[in-house]
Amino acid sequence: MTLYTALVDDAGLFPPTSLHMSDALDRHRRDQERGSPVLTHRFLCPADRLDRLRAEPFTPRRIGVILDTPEPPGLGDLPVDLAEVKLPPERSVEELARELLPRLPKEVRLFVEVPPTKFVADVPEGVGLKVRCGGARPEEFPQAEQLGSFIRFCVAGDIPFKATAGLHHAVRHFDPALGVDRHGFLNLLLAVCEAVEGRDPVPALRATDVGQLVRMARAVPEQTAKRARHLLVSYGSCNTATPLDDLKTLNLIEEDM
């Protein structure tokens, strides 16, 4: 179970689901009450919508803030444990972290989104990276080799990272609407495990054989799973039911989880 525990952040406010705040919080509250250990029970919210969240009667027990405002907002009254920000082209991770960390509460972890092809030589201790695995356009989906290079870099440097976008199902599959292969979140997990054990993560990212992936998942040693999940902190999903349904269908988690 270590491999899947606290894996999925709630990104219901974001495309393609794009729920209204009240609907997203209603769904999050139901998920929180059910208490699936696969979900982080962290609600992802853009900084410019925090006031709208504050106006609601229900507050999630964990919040991740997407920093999309010129200045970081005040967060002291909210249970924020994570902040994510996109790296501007002209900035370095070290510069951005040095600017933002003093403005965030000490308990908030910072993750900086970088292109999977960008070489990052300046990740400060305690700061993580974030990688985008898809989007609304075909060009937003990184190639398996690009994502594999990013994973190898994070494993080699012991750099925690988050993933976002495009990971709609467990297994890699073709999306005829966009004309691209979508990465699977199980593929991503197993690719990190492969890199942790010193193997090339790309074959795991490219795999579409469901039986093979399930066998690989069941064979992951506990210590490998722990190290892999230290590195892959979580990924954001606009749908919190599908990851659970997929893992149950593959018999990788129990039906009541």
Side-chain angles (χ1 to χ4, degrees):
M1 187 60 197
T2 300
L3 201 56
Y4 317 109
T5 300
L7 175 64
V8 184
D9 287 334
D10 186 343
L13 293 176
F14 297 86
T17 303
S18 300
L19 296 174
H20 292 292
M21 181 66 75
S22 57
D23 294 333
L25 288 173
D26 282 346
R27 188 187 75 177
H28 188 82
R29 176 182 51 77
R30 293 192 297 270
D31 284 341
Q32 200 168 283
E33 290 170 353
R34 294 186 187 107
S36 169
V38 176
L39 305 181
T40 64
H41 303 290
R42 179 188 293 116
F43 186 78
L44 301 181
C45 183
D48 66 0
R49 298 183 70 180
L50 286 176
D51 285 343
R52 180 70 183 85
L53 186 152
R54 288 184 174 99
E56 293 287 330
F58 170 76
T59 301
R61 64 171 177 244
R62 300 177 77 184
I63 295 173
V65 174
I66 313 302
L67 299 175
D68 62 349
T69 52
E71 295 290 331
L75 303 173
D77 62 326
L78 294 171
V80 175
D81 65 355
L82 181 152
E84 304 175 19
V85 64
K86 188 171 183 178
L87 182 68
E90 70 281 1
R91 304 292 300 278
S92 72
V93 173
E94 184 178 31
E95 289 171 343
L96 189 60
R98 190 166 58 242
E99 175 186 316
L100 290 177
L101 286 174
R103 306 184 191 184
L104 297 172
K106 290 184 179 179
E107 65 273 13
V108 175
R109 298 178 69 185
L110 179 65
F111 288 81
V112 180
E113 180 182 336
V114 298
T117 55
K118 182 178 177 62
F119 175 74
V120 183
D122 56 353
V123 183
E125 186 175 354
V127 175
L129 298 179
K130 176 181 170 182
V131 65
R132 190 164 294 272
C133 297
R137 301 185 303 275
E139 59 269 24
E140 293 180 290
F141 289 79
Q143 298 296 315
E145 292 76 13
Q146 295 170 333
L147 192 53
S149 293
F150 176 86
I151 290 170
R152 281 193 295 267
F153 172 78
C154 290
V155 170
D158 197 33
I159 301 168
F161 72 95
K162 291 186 82 267
T164 190
L167 300 166
H168 291 182
H169 286 283
V171 176
R172 181 181 178 92
H173 62 283
F174 182 71
D175 183 339
L178 288 175
V180 296
D181 287 318
R182 285 188 175 272
H183 295 288
F185 69 80
L186 182 60
N187 296 78
L188 180 66
L189 272 172
L190 293 174
V192 179
C193 292
E194 290 289 283
V196 164
E197 295 193 341
R199 294 187 290 271
D200 183 0
V202 174
L205 289 170
R206 298 186 66 86
T208 56
D209 185 322
V210 176
Q212 176 196 5
L213 288 167
V214 169
R215 288 189 295 273
M216 288 176 65
R218 289 177 175 161
V220 173
E222 182 66 12
Q223 285 303 114
T224 299
K226 287 180 179 178
R227 174 89 197 287
R229 289 306 316 281
H230 161 74
L231 292 163
L232 175 55
V233 175
S234 61
Y235 80 93
S237 177
C238 60
N239 186 320
T240 53
T242 298
L244 301 180
D245 291 342
D246 279 9
L247 290 172
K248 290 173 186 175
T249 298
L250 297 173
N251 291 316
L252 292 174
I253 63 171
E254 300 295 331
E255 282 294 327
D256 58 351
M257 287 185 179

